[in-house]
Amino acid sequence: MKTITLLLTIVLALGAGISAVPAPKAEDHFTLNKVADGVYAAVAKTGGLATGNASFVVGDEGVLMVDTFLTPAAVEDLIGVIAAETKQPIKYALNTHYHLDHTGGNQVLAARGVPIIAHEKLIEWQTVKNRRFLPVTDELQKRREAEAKQLSEIPADQADKRAPLERQLRRFDALMTIKLTNPSVTFPAGTIRLHLGKREVILFTLPGHTGGDVLAYVPDANVVFMGDMGWRKTLPNLVDATVNDWITSLDSLLGQYPNAKFVPGHGEVATAADIREFRDYLDDLRTRVKQAIATGLTIEQAKEQLKLPEKYKEFGFQNFAAPNVEDMYKELKGTKF
Ligand SMILES: [Zn+2]
């Protein structure tokens, strides 16, 4: 239960930004970036209802959507953006992994009859493990009521104090619209090719973030969609991670695509140098925690004493710093799974 509370706090905190907005609009959820011809990244905005990035690839016979954000509302906005860019229908959607901030909008695609492709592990995980991020409605309702009570005690003229609570309430409301929805096409570790007419997209698996991650490569644009195998200037969620595998996966990816553009699961569109910086964060974390274990620190002492190196202080999601130490410690001790 403690873990559920922590994770829910994180999911909610990820949406808590600074500026006040009266109601969420399309442009409040994400910023659209053109990465190459017919290749777009929708980068999640702090405080919106997207949380994770999503993307789309336009071919001459259909569109691939990569990930479906945290909420149906955000993915509806993305569908609107796609319709404004092209008359081609959405032919496929991909879930890069099961985490709710990448699959929360699945129901919208399923209702439109769009096949949702994913690693085969998602059939086991999608509607079960996501309960860590999405408590049942009664629980959400209780939290929403507590939040609403707090808001009612703040005078109407204190807009700056009301804004974060109002944002949380919108988030609770959006979370309550989610019906955890499985993908409809799955594959084991390996590669499959999607054909959007002349344009090809290669889907492939790599271990590291969850053990059920799929990446996508567009050869004619030299763009790699990483899902949460890549984070740009952002501390990662390691709750399901195997960092040892992850570092190896990133080394092989960077070796294979040294000049590609990378669309990460969180943060702006990245270069190989950005992905290397993220790889080095994982490597630094592993080294620091190894040393902590060697000097006999307990997990609590390690979390307390290992301060984030200065160069990562500007990264987003600073709330993940201590949980990263804990997850790394458990992985190295063999007590994580
Ligand atoms: Zn993730």
Side-chain angles (χ1 to χ4, degrees):
M1 201 58 201
K2 205 174 160 196
T3 314
I4 290 174
T5 309
L6 170 68
L7 290 168
L8 179 65
T9 307
I10 289 168
V11 166
L12 294 169
L14 296 184
I18 295 156
S19 65
V21 283
K25 302 188 292 283
E27 64 269 28
D28 292 325
H29 299 317
F30 56 81
T31 308
L32 191 70
N33 292 265
K34 185 173 180 178
V35 185
D37 273 349
V39 180
Y40 297 86
V43 175
K45 278 191 179 181
T46 305
L49 297 173
T51 305
N53 295 342
S55 308
F56 61 95
V57 181
V58 182
D60 57 325
E61 289 178 17
V63 174
L64 163 68
M65 183 190 287
V66 180
D67 282 335
T68 66
F69 291 137
L70 174 71
T71 60
V75 87
E76 292 280 12
D77 284 348
L78 184 61
I79 289 171
V81 166
I82 294 172
E85 292 293 332
T86 177
K87 290 195 166 55
Q88 294 294 330
I90 301 171
K91 194 173 179 182
Y92 306 107
L94 168 69
N95 287 160
T96 58
H97 64 296
Y98 85 89
H99 286 162
L100 191 65
D101 53 340
H102 298 264
T103 61
N106 273 6
Q107 69 207 58
V108 177
L109 281 303
R112 290 168 157 256
V114 176
I116 302 173
I117 306 167
H119 192 289
E120 65 180 7
K121 290 282 188 195
L122 266 71
I123 295 296
E124 270 171 66
W125 295 348
Q126 169 65 11
T127 62
V128 180
K129 289 177 88 174
N130 266 325
R131 282 293 165 204
R132 297 193 282 187
F133 306 106
L134 183 70
V136 292
T137 308
D138 286 359
E139 171 74 17
L140 281 172
Q141 192 64 47
K142 260 188 236 157
R143 286 159 186 258
R144 192 202 186 281
E145 280 163 18
E147 203 81 33
K149 187 169 173 292
Q150 249 184 296
L151 180 63
S152 71
E153 287 156 7
I154 300 174
D157 59 352
Q158 296 187 15
D160 55 332
K161 283 194 183 154
R162 294 178 61 88
L165 287 167
E166 286 168 350
R167 197 175 303 116
Q168 297 275 33
L169 285 185
R170 284 203 298 273
R171 207 163 176 81
F172 277 119
D173 290 340
L175 289 174
M176 283 189 273
T177 67
I178 299 172
K179 294 184 181 71
L180 295 174
T181 302
N182 265 332
S184 50
V185 181
T186 62
F187 68 108
T191 298
I192 60 173
R193 286 163 190 270
L194 300 181
H195 301 278
L196 307 170
K198 287 194 271 296
R199 181 163 243 175
E200 185 184 59
V201 182
I202 302 169
L203 309 186
F204 60 102
T205 57
L206 279 177
H209 176 56
T210 62
D213 292 79
V214 178
L215 294 81
Y217 179 61
V218 187
D220 69 21
N222 200 19
V223 175
V224 180
F225 298 100
M226 297 187 73
D228 278 1
M229 286 296 291
W231 301 59
R232 184 180 178 275
K233 296 202 185 298
T234 306
L235 299 185
N237 180 346
L238 300 182
V239 68
D240 294 307
T242 309
V243 172
N244 279 325
D245 292 340
W246 199 339
I247 292 169
T248 307
S249 290
L250 291 176
D251 284 338
S252 97
L253 191 74
L254 288 166
Q256 197 171 353
Y257 305 109
N259 302 310
K261 286 181 182 166
F262 297 87
V263 179
H266 297 269
E268 301 290 334
V269 176
T271 61
D274 295 321
I275 299 305
R276 182 159 297 286
E277 181 183 43
F278 171 65
R279 178 245 177 250
D280 290 346
Y281 167 77
L282 294 177
D283 204 3
D284 283 356
L285 175 71
R286 182 171 61 177
T287 303
R288 290 184 298 123
V289 176
K290 258 185 198 166
Q291 282 165 355
I293 291 171
T295 56
L297 296 190
T298 65
I299 206 161
E300 289 307 321
Q301 289 168 331
K303 281 165 70 178
E304 178 65 29
Q305 291 178 28
L306 292 187
K307 298 294 172 218
L308 193 68
E310 202 56 40
K311 58 183 166 178
Y312 305 120
K313 290 262 168 72
E314 292 172 353
F315 276 34
F317 297 177
Q318 290 283 313
N319 51 328
F320 279 139
N324 279 186
V325 170
E326 178 167 351
D327 283 315
M328 189 72 246
Y329 192 107
K330 288 178 178 166
E331 181 183 329
L332 289 169
K333 282 285 205 181
T335 59
K336 188 166 181 191
F337 300 109

